[in-house]
């Protein structure tokens, strides 16, 4: 179980996040990517849960494939979007029956085309409600992760209020918090300090996304409310038409972030891989060479 990895100390906890592809060809390519990365011995691999519903069954299939075929510990993401309590309960029961012991519990973003999240009829309004529900149904038999936002969640830019909401979610039964991506480590260190100050004791794992493409990272940061240091943005802009240069800069920046985070006490790194292996491989190899992984 993932929570035990943090308890044993020693090597940090390094995890890779993937999203379920929409096509069979995409799934086959992802399986190759996961196999390629498995020799890096990630502590666990997580699979996101699609907001729209079309890829949801794939999350369950993929996490089972990861554990059975790739021999890695898997974590399934799960959201409150568009589902009633009992429907979500059935998904959790199926995960548990399939031997998936780790779940990332999320509220989810509003479905495409909708401006804000609306609590589904008979469903949950906040991730903390879903955490309470799963704990009520499965007790301590599952390890539950949840999301944290170093720069504040986009719907709650009052950092104090956001951290109190996180405390409520942790108190409902989270074992670990994984952060939203960020490009300036000061946000992470401040976030951890604020979390500890309100009594959050669980591990807080930084989520790192190596930049590959400037336009897509600009879109992503706008959607999730993360910011980009002006100097990094300017440098990326300078080479924006040179894919290789952007990716190299992305890897260099992410590696520098990881080194500082691990030296500063982060319990591991959660890599947003975007279903690609090269950047994560280079960064983790560099961290191993520096005896940080
Ligand atoms: P919550 O913790 O419920 O918070 C949502 C908002 O409500 C915040 O503004 C919070 O401050 C506020 N809030 C919380 N509790 C209360 C309360 N009691 N009263 C008032 N306000 C409150 N999305 C997907 O669709 N699929 C995924 O697989 C997925 N994986 C993710 C993995 C990670 C590590 C991260 C960081 C995000 C992921 N997301 C995913 C995105 C996530 O669903 C969105 O960021 C979403 O907008 C918020 O989800 P949450 O679980 O943080 O919500």
């Amino acid at each position: 179980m993932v929570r035990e990895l943090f308890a044993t100390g020693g090597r940090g906890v390094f995890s890779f996040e993937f999203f379920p592809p929409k096509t069979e060809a995409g799934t086959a390519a992802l399986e190759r990517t996961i196999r390629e990365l498995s020799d890096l011995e990630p502590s666990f691999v997580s699979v996101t849960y699609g907001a729209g519903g079309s890829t949801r069954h794939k999350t369950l299939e993929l996490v089972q494939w990861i554990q059975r075929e790739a021999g890695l510990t898997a974590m399934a993401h799960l959201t409150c979007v568009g589902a009633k309590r009992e429907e979500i309960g059935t998904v959790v029961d199926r995960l548990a029956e399939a031997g998936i012991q780790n779940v990332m519990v999320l509220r989810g973003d509003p479905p495409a085309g909708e401006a804000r999240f609306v609590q589904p009829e008979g469903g949950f309004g906040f991730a903390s409600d879903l955490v309470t529900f799963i704990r009520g149904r499965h007790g301590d038999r599952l390890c539950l992760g949840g999301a944290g936002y170093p720069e504040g969640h986009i719907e709650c830019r009052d950092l104090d209020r956001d951290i109190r909401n996180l405390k409520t979610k942790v108190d409902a039964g989270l074992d670990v918090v994984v952060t939203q991506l960020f490009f300036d480590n000061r946000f992470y260190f401040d976030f951890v300090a604020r979390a500890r100050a309100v009594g959050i004791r669980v591990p807080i794992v930084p989520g790192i996304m190596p930049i590959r493409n400037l336009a897509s990272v600009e879109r992503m940061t706008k959607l999730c409310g993360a910011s980009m240091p002006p100097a990094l943005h300017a440098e990326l802009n300078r080479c924006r038409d040179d894919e290789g240069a952007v990716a190299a800069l992305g890897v260099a920046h992410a590696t520098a972030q990881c080194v500082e985070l691990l030296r500063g006490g982060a319990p591991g790194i959660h890599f947003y891989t975007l279903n690609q292996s090269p950047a994560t491989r280079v960064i983790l190899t560099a961290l191993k060479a520096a005896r940080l992984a």
Side-chain angles (χ1 to χ4, degrees):
M1 223 185 279
V2 164
R3 67 170 168 247
E4 283 152 14
L5 302 172
F6 293 98
T8 52
R11 180 181 176 260
V13 174
F14 295 89
S15 47
F16 303 156
E17 179 175 306
F18 299 99
F19 59 85
K22 291 199 170 72
T23 63
E24 288 306 312
T27 303
L30 177 59
E31 290 179 357
R32 273 197 305 280
T33 300
I34 294 174
R35 280 197 199 280
E36 268 163 36
L37 286 171
S38 65
D39 65 326
L40 291 171
E41 300 178 345
S43 311
F44 70 94
V45 167
S46 85
V47 180
T48 63
Y49 199 68
S54 59
T55 62
R56 284 179 176 180
H57 68 283
K58 288 216 168 135
T59 301
L60 186 60
E61 284 168 14
L62 260 173
V63 286
Q64 290 185 75
W65 180 88
I66 285 164
Q67 287 209 166
R68 233 185 12 235
E69 306 295 326
L72 299 167
T73 299
M75 176 180 263
H77 294 211
L78 183 65
T79 75
C80 308
V81 177
K84 295 188 193 304
R85 299 163 68 88
E86 275 316 305
E87 288 164 354
I88 299 191
T90 306
V91 176
V92 179
D93 295 350
R94 282 180 60 201
L95 286 167
E97 279 158 22
I100 307 299
Q101 295 179 302
N102 309 291
V103 182
M104 181 74 76
V105 185
L106 303 140
R107 185 200 71 179
D109 282 320
E114 290 176 32
R116 53 185 206 93
F117 179 88
V118 179
Q119 178 172 355
E121 210 187 308
F124 301 101
F126 299 109
S128 54
D129 300 332
L130 180 51
V131 174
T132 303
F133 175 76
I134 298 175
R135 283 287 177 229
R137 202 167 169 112
H138 286 272
D140 220 22
R141 290 185 296 279
L142 297 174
C143 166
L144 303 184
Y149 301 85
E151 297 181 62
H153 183 251
I154 192 143
E155 294 163 33
C156 182
R157 296 331 274 257
D158 174 345
L159 297 183
D160 290 336
R161 189 142 53 85
D162 202 40
I163 210 86
R164 284 198 305 275
N165 290 338
L166 178 63
K167 172 85 163 69
T168 303
K169 185 160 66 174
V170 172
D171 288 349
L174 285 190
D175 295 301
V176 55
V177 169
V178 178
T179 79
Q180 183 57 280
L181 59 88
F182 56 91
F183 298 104
D184 181 341
N185 288 347
R186 275 180 302 183
F187 290 118
Y188 172 81
F189 291 121
D190 287 355
F191 176 66
V192 173
R194 284 187 285 108
R196 300 306 180 220
V198 297
I200 294 172
R201 298 273 163 261
V202 298
I204 300 177
V205 184
I208 294 295
M209 193 195 72
I211 295 170
R212 279 197 314 138
N213 175 291
L214 183 54
S216 85
V217 82
E218 282 171 345
R219 244 191 339 268
M220 244 180 255
T221 48
K222 201 165 162 222
L223 279 176
C224 76
S227 62
M228 195 178 291
L232 174 64
H233 197 209
E235 194 55 28
L236 286 163
N237 235 332
R238 204 182 58 77
C239 57
R240 73 181 302 148
D241 296 325
D242 180 344
E243 234 175 67
V246 169
L249 186 51
V251 166
H253 185 80
T255 306
Q257 275 195 280
C258 292
V259 168
E260 188 185 41
L261 288 164
L262 293 165
R263 291 209 169 122
I269 304 283
H270 183 72
F271 288 99
Y272 292 109
T273 69
L274 302 179
N275 288 8
Q276 303 287 322
S277 66
T280 306
R281 173 168 289 282
V282 171
I283 297 165
L284 206 44
T285 303
L287 295 178
K288 282 178 198 268
R291 295 189 177 79
L292 288 167

